Amino acid sequence: MNTQVGVSGNELGPEGAKAIADALQTNVVLQSIEIGSKDNPAIIPIKQLRDNSVDVLDYSGKKLLSEGGIVLAAALTVTQNTSVTTVSDMCAFVVLI
């Protein structure tokens, strides 16, 4: 059983990110997702978000990309996280709709 997923560098785009975001609705096993650029991906700590055991998500120097932003937003919502107070370096991605 995989508890970590690595999709960095796969050019998921908004559709792929939405598919991952939708999967988070029912997946209770996944602990982390590596997403964004292949050369400098970001890690979304799903288990820590579920457990409310993280208050800062520092993506400084990482390339979360738009797909990572979509998945991060979904992860924060789906996990009903109340502990995260800061997400740093959000300017590292742009969502084009």
Side-chain angles (χ1 to χ4, degrees):
M1 179 177 335
N2 280 343
T3 59
Q4 300 176 344
V5 173
V7 294
S8 60
N10 286 324
E11 299 180 22
L12 299 174
E15 296 82 18
K18 173 110 173 54
I20 292 172
D22 290 346
L24 289 175
Q25 297 283 339
T26 56
N27 186 308
V28 295
V29 177
L30 190 62
Q31 294 185 12
S32 67
I33 300 172
E34 180 182 277
I35 196 164
S37 73
K38 185 174 183 163
D39 62 330
N40 208 356
I43 304 292
I44 299 176
I46 304 298
K47 182 175 182 344
Q48 288 179 302
L49 293 175
R50 270 194 213 104
D51 294 344
N52 284 303
S53 63
V54 60
D55 59 351
V56 175
L57 296 174
D58 184 2
Y59 293 114
S60 300
K62 303 295 181 189
K63 294 180 182 172
L64 193 59
L65 304 180
S66 60
E67 60 234 27
I70 292 167
V71 174
L72 176 58
L76 287 167
T77 302
V78 168
T79 61
Q80 298 180 343
N81 181 277
T82 58
S83 65
V84 173
T85 58
T86 305
V87 179
S88 68
D89 204 11
M90 290 302 289
C91 62
F93 70 87
V94 175
V95 178
L96 300 174
I97 298 176

